[in-house]
Amino acid sequence: ERECMHTALPCCSEDPAPTCAMGAGGALPTDSFTTARAAKNSPLGDYATLYVGKWHLGDLWDKKIPDMHPTWRVSNPGLVGFDQWIATQA
Protein backbone atom coordinates (compact mmCIF):
# COMPACT_ATOMS: atom_id res chain seq x y z
CA GLU A 1 0.00 0.00 0.00
CA ARG A 2 1.25 3.47 -0.87
CA GLU A 3 1.51 6.28 1.62
CA CYS A 4 1.10 9.99 1.07
CA MET A 5 4.57 11.56 0.88
CA HIS A 6 3.49 14.65 2.81
CA THR A 7 1.48 13.06 5.63
CA ALA A 8 2.72 9.41 5.72
CA LEU A 9 -0.91 8.25 5.94
CA PRO A 10 -2.33 5.42 3.80
CA CYS A 11 -3.34 6.69 0.39
CA CYS A 12 -4.47 5.57 -3.04
CA SER A 13 -6.03 2.31 -1.86
CA GLU A 14 -9.58 1.09 -2.25
CA ASP A 15 -10.45 2.87 1.01
CA PRO A 16 -8.06 5.85 1.27
CA ALA A 17 -7.68 7.80 4.49
CA PRO A 18 -9.91 10.91 4.69
CA THR A 19 -6.74 12.98 5.06
CA CYS A 20 -5.46 11.71 1.70
CA ALA A 21 -6.29 13.66 -1.43
CA MET A 22 -8.26 10.72 -2.84
CA GLY A 23 -10.21 10.29 0.40
CA ALA A 24 -10.88 14.02 0.73
CA GLY A 25 -12.53 14.55 -2.64
CA GLY A 26 -9.39 15.17 -4.65
CA ALA A 27 -7.49 17.67 -2.51
CA LEU A 28 -5.18 17.47 0.47
CA PRO A 29 -7.02 19.11 3.40
CA THR A 30 -5.39 22.42 4.30
CA ASP A 31 -5.21 21.48 7.99
CA SER A 32 -3.14 18.33 7.31
CA PHE A 33 0.07 17.92 9.28
CA THR A 34 2.71 17.87 6.54
CA THR A 35 6.49 17.64 6.29
CA ALA A 36 6.51 21.41 5.74
CA ARG A 37 4.68 22.02 9.01
CA ALA A 38 6.99 19.60 10.82
CA ALA A 39 10.00 21.60 9.57
CA LYS A 40 8.40 24.89 10.59
CA ASN A 41 7.72 23.56 14.12
CA SER A 42 11.06 21.82 14.61
CA PRO A 43 12.71 22.23 18.01
CA LEU A 44 15.92 22.92 16.07
CA GLY A 45 14.50 26.07 14.50
CA ASP A 46 11.99 27.52 12.08
CA TYR A 47 13.14 26.00 8.78
CA ALA A 48 12.26 27.58 5.45
CA THR A 49 10.44 25.10 3.22
CA LEU A 50 10.34 24.57 -0.55
CA TYR A 51 8.28 22.20 -2.68
CA VAL A 52 9.39 21.42 -6.24
CA GLY A 53 7.64 18.83 -8.39
CA LYS A 54 4.32 17.49 -9.63
CA TRP A 55 1.35 18.17 -7.36
CA HIS A 56 -0.97 15.14 -7.27
CA LEU A 57 -3.05 16.42 -4.36
CA GLY A 58 -5.71 18.63 -5.96
CA ASP A 59 -5.98 21.46 -8.47
CA LEU A 60 -3.33 24.17 -8.05
CA TRP A 61 -5.90 26.91 -8.69
CA ASP A 62 -9.56 27.23 -9.62
CA LYS A 63 -9.46 26.79 -13.39
CA LYS A 64 -13.17 27.49 -13.90
CA ILE A 65 -13.30 24.95 -16.74
CA PRO A 66 -16.75 23.31 -16.96
CA ASP A 67 -16.79 19.56 -16.16
CA MET A 68 -13.06 19.40 -15.35
CA HIS A 69 -12.64 17.53 -12.05
CA PRO A 70 -15.88 19.00 -10.72
CA THR A 71 -15.32 17.59 -7.21
CA TRP A 72 -11.65 18.56 -6.86
CA ARG A 73 -10.89 21.48 -4.59
CA VAL A 74 -8.02 23.92 -4.88
CA SER A 75 -4.94 22.58 -3.12
CA ASN A 76 -1.36 23.71 -3.54
CA PRO A 77 1.85 23.47 -1.51
CA GLY A 78 1.40 26.99 -0.12
CA LEU A 79 -1.93 26.05 1.43
CA VAL A 80 -0.39 23.16 3.41
CA GLY A 81 2.63 24.93 4.88
CA PHE A 82 5.32 25.34 2.22
CA ASP A 83 6.90 28.80 2.12
CA GLN A 84 7.87 28.63 -1.56
CA TRP A 85 6.79 26.26 -4.28
CA ILE A 86 7.25 25.45 -7.94
CA ALA A 87 4.80 22.83 -9.10
CA THR A 88 3.06 21.47 -12.15
CA GLN A 89 -0.44 20.01 -12.15
CA ALA A 90 -0.25 16.23 -12.30
Side-chain angles (χ1 to χ4, degrees), residues 73-86:
R73 296 188 321 264
V74 171
S75 171
N76 62 55
L79 294 175
V80 294
F82 287 92
D83 297 318
Q84 301 289 323
W85 56 278
I86 302 168

Side-chain angles (χ1 to χ4, degrees), residues 1-17 19-23 28 33 35 51 56-57:
E1 172 156 338
R2 294 176 53 184
E3 293 181 347
C4 178
M5 176 177 111
H6 303 294
T7 63
L9 294 170
C11 191
C12 306
S13 65
E14 290 181 18
D15 186 25
T19 52
C20 170
M22 289 184 71
L28 184 65
F33 186 74
T35 53
Y51 177 90
H56 294 264
L57 303 171

Side-chain angles (χ1 to χ4, degrees), residues 59-79:
D59 285 337
L60 293 175
W61 68 92
D62 186 1
K63 297 174 183 70
K64 300 190 187 311
I65 299 173
D67 301 321
M68 182 176 175
H69 305 296
T71 61
W72 284 25
R73 296 188 321 264
V74 171
S75 171
N76 62 55
L79 294 175

Side-chain angles (χ1 to χ4, degrees), residues 24-62:
L28 184 65
T30 56
D31 62 350
S32 297
F33 186 74
T34 62
T35 53
R37 291 200 171 113
K40 300 300 284 180
N41 296 321
S42 169
L44 299 175
D46 180 10
Y47 286 88
T49 57
L50 170 70
Y51 177 90
V52 178
K54 289 194 316 191
W55 189 251
H56 294 264
L57 303 171
D59 285 337
L60 293 175
W61 68 92
D62 186 1

